[in-house]
Amino acid sequence: MTHPSTDLTDGIRIRGLTKTYAGGDPHRPALESIDLDVGRRRFVSLIGPSGCGKSTLLRVIAGLEEHDTGEVSLFGSTPRALCAAKAIGLVPQTPALLPWRNVRRNITLPRSVNRRAGTDGEDPDDLLRAVGLGDVAHRYPHQLSGGQQQRVAIARAFGMRPELLLMDEPFSALDEFTREALRLQLLVLWQRRATTVVFVTHSVREAVTLSDEVVVMSARPGRVHEVLPIDLPRPRDASVVTGPRMHALEDRVRASLQSAWEAGAAPDDLVPL
Ligand SMILES: Nc1ncnc2c1ncn2[C@@H]1O[C@H](COP(=O)(O)OP(=O)(O)OP(=O)(O)O)[C@@H](O)[C@H]1O
């Protein structure tokens, strides 16, 4: 099964985006001349060497960071407007759970502060079951492992029913076994909720497993180097993610990363992925 095709004009449309941080080298913007299209309900990963601007791009899309020039259109709206409408979910590297609320009340937090989430929104127990945590609803964050906490954060983000979900290396602090499990649970939630996702990662395997497209970026300045379509069928079960097409696509992304590094990286960026 492939994911429903989408209209590119109706998703994220970025044209000529440039961003230089205050005090940064004006000849080396954090982002330069970024053109990018992400179709509605697509899953897109950003990958590239450290410092190529992945997080900056995510923050600009989230409306948390201003850009200098260029256009960012999100479903025909602006990042600020979408952010104000609470239509953007953000999952950072470390799960920002409230320590004084139990898991269930962390999941329902958005609906108590966000009218968009509504009172008739996602059933928190259903969300927790979807990430394999049906039995921890009454525990507090400090009683969970790091992987469990991140699952709660992901379930909460989907529970907000965001139009757009931005994820900044959400699995980077976890061991490979836990990452693998979370990837599959993330895909299950995404397929059920059909949200547009932009996902930052350093893992080639993760990017290929999850995505419809992988955006390879180069550094100094941060640019889009190449956009690679991932034509693996969905659902991405074990037979898909261990198959020969998966390995060929991983090799293709690695080759693109190599040429992205050669295009702009300093020697100390050349670490194996
Ligand atoms: N608040 C800031 N002020 C000044 N410069 C910044 C700021 N945040 C990021 N930068 C610079 O902008 C560039 C892009 O940084 P960014 O964090 O977006 O890259 P990244 O690709 O996400 O890196 P990593 O993979 O290491 O997380 C880097 O050169 C970084 O030093």
Side-chain angles (χ1 to χ4, degrees):
M1 183 182 85
T2 53
H3 201 258
S5 67
T6 49
D7 177 1
L8 282 181
T9 59
D10 191 27
I12 301 175
R13 186 174 189 275
I14 298 175
R15 290 292 178 273
L17 171 69
T18 297
K19 161 82 185 169
T20 307
Y21 281 103
D25 180 350
H27 301 294
R28 283 197 170 159
L31 298 171
E32 185 175 77
S33 306
I34 302 281
D35 293 339
L36 186 64
D37 290 297
V38 178
R40 191 185 281 269
R41 296 181 187 146
R42 302 289 276 182
F43 197 121
V44 169
S45 290
L46 308 179
I47 194 166
S50 182
C52 69
K54 302 179 292 295
S55 297
T56 302
L57 182 54
L58 213 64
R59 290 175 59 77
V60 169
I61 295 172
L64 300 172
E65 199 77 68
E66 293 292 339
H67 56 283
D68 308 334
T69 58
E71 292 166 31
V72 181
S73 166
L74 307 180
F75 316 107
S77 184
T78 63
R80 283 205 160 185
L82 224 63
C83 188
K86 304 274 190 281
I88 303 179
L90 186 61
V91 179
Q93 282 182 20
T94 49
L97 303 180
L98 296 181
W100 59 87
R101 291 176 80 111
N102 68 19
V103 165
R104 196 170 200 283
R105 294 189 65 236
N106 263 286
I107 299 266
T108 55
L109 178 68
R111 75 183 57 167
S112 55
V113 293
N114 172 11
R115 267 180 293 142
R116 181 189 164 80
T119 50
D120 59 344
E122 305 283 346
D123 174 359
D125 296 313
D126 186 37
L127 283 165
L128 282 170
R129 276 193 296 275
V131 293
L133 289 181
D135 52 351
V136 303
H138 296 290
R139 287 203 210 161
Y140 285 81
H142 74 273
Q143 297 171 312
L144 304 178
S145 70
Q148 288 173 322
Q149 289 183 26
Q150 195 58 290
R151 283 175 217 212
V152 175
I154 290 168
R156 181 175 63 184
F158 275 96
M160 287 174 61
R161 296 189 291 181
E163 202 68 52
L164 174 62
L165 187 54
L166 305 173
M167 309 183 82
D168 196 353
E169 298 188 58
F171 306 148
S172 61
L174 307 174
D175 64 88
E176 185 54 28
F177 183 76
T178 308
R179 287 176 84 128
E180 194 87 42
L182 259 67
R183 280 174 207 149
L184 298 178
Q185 285 164 346
L186 171 59
L187 282 180
V188 168
L189 272 177
W190 172 71
Q191 297 228 159
R192 276 168 54 175
R193 305 302 189 276
T195 298
T196 308
V197 177
V198 182
F199 186 97
V200 170
T201 182
H202 279 278
S203 161
V204 170
R205 181 167 180 76
E206 196 155 275
V208 175
T209 301
L210 294 171
S211 308
D212 295 306
E213 281 109 32
V214 173
V215 179
V216 179
M217 295 180 68
S218 56
R220 301 185 179 85
R223 291 194 176 119
V224 172
H225 181 70
E226 196 171 10
V227 179
L228 299 168
I230 304 299
D231 57 0
L232 291 172
R234 297 187 186 273
R236 304 238 168 119
D237 52 28
S239 66
V240 174
V241 299
T242 55
R245 183 68 191 141
M246 171 82 191
H247 297 309
L249 287 164
E250 286 181 273
D251 288 346
R252 180 74 187 82
V253 173
R254 279 197 196 95
S256 183
L257 274 171
Q258 183 68 40
S259 68
W261 279 329
E262 286 162 9
D268 60 358
D269 286 328
L270 294 173
V271 291
L273 284 174

